[in-house]
Amino acid sequence: MVEGILQGNPNKTTTKFLASKGKPSQNGIEEESRELILMGFLVYEELVKLFNQRIQEEYEAAFLLHVYMMVHRIYFQSQYENEGNVAPDSLLNYQEEVAEIESIMAKNKLPINKAEITALLQYLTI
């Protein structure tokens, strides 16, 4: 920019500078979103294996979307609030599944809270 100003043509240089300025940021966002999508897919695949035919058939697509949104919430530190959203009975009835969910999420560096786990368990048949 300084060079353009010294040559008496600041507009041309400013435009070029502003255009190139957005690219690194865009590439960073692109890479971050790619990583987030991949992470969502990996978590989804592991949860589907874990629950093996226990996801209610009519909710399979909703479960997929829920997992992607859950990964997004956890990644951006905006999980469901624990207060009022945790069903202790569900957590007690599914202790093994809860431990497995926590393990899958920990492996993917996504610390999950009890409210998110409670929401996931709503997709299972008893």
Side-chain angles (χ1 to χ4, degrees):
M1 258 178 88
V2 172
E3 187 177 297
I5 293 169
L6 292 175
Q7 291 176 357
N9 194 357
N11 291 335
K12 181 179 176 187
T13 307
T14 303
T15 304
K16 187 188 270 186
F17 173 76
L18 292 174
S20 69
K21 187 177 176 187
K23 289 187 180 183
S25 172
Q26 184 177 355
N27 288 339
I29 291 169
E30 206 174 303
E31 182 62 34
E32 187 174 22
S33 66
R34 185 177 308 122
E35 180 182 316
L36 194 55
I37 290 167
L38 180 58
M39 193 181 309
F41 179 76
L42 293 173
V43 168
Y44 170 76
E45 286 293 310
E46 289 186 61
L47 290 172
V48 166
K49 274 187 211 173
L50 169 66
F51 295 141
N52 190 27
Q53 306 300 318
R54 292 177 57 201
I55 300 168
Q56 297 178 46
E57 191 174 323
E58 62 272 17
Y59 294 127
E60 288 175 357
F63 182 74
L64 170 65
L65 180 60
H66 183 95
V67 170
Y68 272 79
M69 296 303 291
M70 177 189 70
V71 166
H72 184 272
R73 284 189 299 275
I74 295 169
Y75 187 84
F76 289 104
Q77 291 112 26
S78 61
Q79 291 185 69
Y80 290 152
E81 296 292 323
N82 275 327
E83 191 174 324
N85 292 317
V86 176
D89 291 341
S90 291
L91 298 178
L92 288 174
N93 294 334
Y94 292 103
Q95 288 180 1
E96 187 177 316
E97 290 85 350
V98 169
E100 288 288 330
I101 291 168
E102 289 174 333
S103 174
I104 288 168
M105 300 309 282
K107 184 171 67 175
N108 288 285
K109 296 179 177 71
L110 295 166
I112 189 170
N113 70 22
K114 299 299 184 201
E116 290 287 353
I117 293 172
T118 299
L120 271 181
L121 294 175
Q122 302 308 306
Y123 291 90
L124 300 185
T125 56
I126 297 175

